[in-house]
Amino acid sequence: DVQGIAAGGGFSYGDVLRAGGGSAQPILFNRRLRDQFDAFFGRGDSFALGVCNGCQMFSHLRQLIPGSEPWPYFVRNASEQFEARFTLVEVVKSPSIFLSGMEGSRLPIAVAHGEGRADFGERHTPHQVLAAGIVALRYVDNRGRPTEHYPANPGGSPLGITGLTTQDGRVTIMMPHPERVFRTLQNSWHPADWREDGPWLRMFRNARRWVGSD
């Protein structure tokens, strides 16, 4: 009966040894759980959001998630240390139901991870994945340009890629934490004309709107 799920962060498995991968294993190797998740992701009316450890977890479940085959794994930061800071991302045009209407926005966001570097392996190049239109978020520098430079890109992901979605947009994963800054007062700085709601709240309103329209 569940239509949407969210897998959050929180240092699953201590955020070491591919922590999100550890969260995925009980699903992949328990037939009952695997069948339930397979059926859930296969429905046309379901949606899901994975953030930080949840992003890592869903990237390991991509064999169960239609349209996610080009997704990377997320591995140790290039800095070889845990990174917790505010940074800046650009919302890239994609089919993500969560980011609908937010394309082109450059917004501050919180990050807190030790394993946030996107690793595409040898299956796909970052340029191919970007061209496929399923990249949802990229780190940008103070001039608004996609960056691989530290600390604006805290994990060292290629092309600044830090969020992706499926081909139909129903499942979105990202390393930064929009849920930590959806209220204006949660931001360390904000324009004076922002009211109570921060711009990231639109993500969750988009999901609610999508549910109501299907």
Side-chain angles (χ1 to χ4, degrees), residues 64-75:
L64 307 181
I65 304 174
S68 69
E69 194 274 335
W71 284 0
Y73 291 124
F74 291 85
V75 299

Side-chain angles (χ1 to χ4, degrees), residues 21-207:
S23 300
Q25 299 313 304
I27 298 169
L28 292 174
F29 293 103
N30 181 305
R31 175 53 60 182
R32 184 177 179 184
L33 280 175
R34 185 186 178 107
D35 288 347
Q36 289 179 4
F37 275 83
D38 192 27
F40 173 82
F41 287 121
R43 287 165 36 195
D45 67 339
S46 64
F47 70 95
L49 173 67
V51 174
C52 199
N53 287 142
C55 171
Q56 298 165 350
M57 172 185 169
F58 282 169
S59 74
H60 283 265
L61 296 179
R62 62 189 180 210
Q63 58 190 285
L64 307 181
I65 304 174
S68 69
E69 194 274 335
W71 284 0
Y73 291 124
F74 291 85
V75 299
R76 189 71 175 164
N77 294 338
S79 66
E80 293 290 336
Q81 63 184 6
F82 175 77
E83 299 289 344
R85 66 179 72 251
F86 250 47
T87 188
L88 193 66
V89 294
E90 178 182 26
V91 180
V92 182
K93 184 178 181 180
S94 77
S96 172
I97 67 166
F98 288 94
L99 300 170
S100 176
M102 298 175 67
E103 300 88 353
S105 300
R106 294 169 183 152
L107 301 171
I109 198 167
V111 295
H113 56 67
E115 298 183 332
R117 177 169 55 88
D119 181 0
F120 292 89
E122 298 180 355
R123 299 175 308 110
H124 304 277
T125 69
H127 289 281
Q128 288 173 331
V129 177
L130 185 63
I134 60 170
V135 172
L137 293 179
R138 299 175 75 182
Y139 292 117
V140 294
D141 61 20
N142 61 339
R143 296 181 183 272
R145 300 173 300 196
T147 185
E148 297 181 0
H149 294 154
Y150 180 88
N153 180 335
S157 292
L159 305 184
I161 295 172
T162 189
L164 301 102
T165 190
T166 50
Q167 292 175 350
D168 63 6
R170 292 187 298 110
V171 184
T172 298
I173 61 173
M174 59 184 67
M175 284 308 300
H177 287 271
E179 81 286 356
R180 295 189 180 184
V181 287
F182 70 90
R183 298 184 66 196
T184 293
L185 59 77
Q186 293 172 303
N187 290 263
S188 58
W189 178 88
H190 58 81
D193 59 351
W194 281 16
R195 298 185 180 181
E196 180 177 353
D197 298 338
W200 289 111
L201 187 59
R202 181 164 180 174
M203 273 186 55
F204 306 100
R205 287 175 171 156
N206 278 341

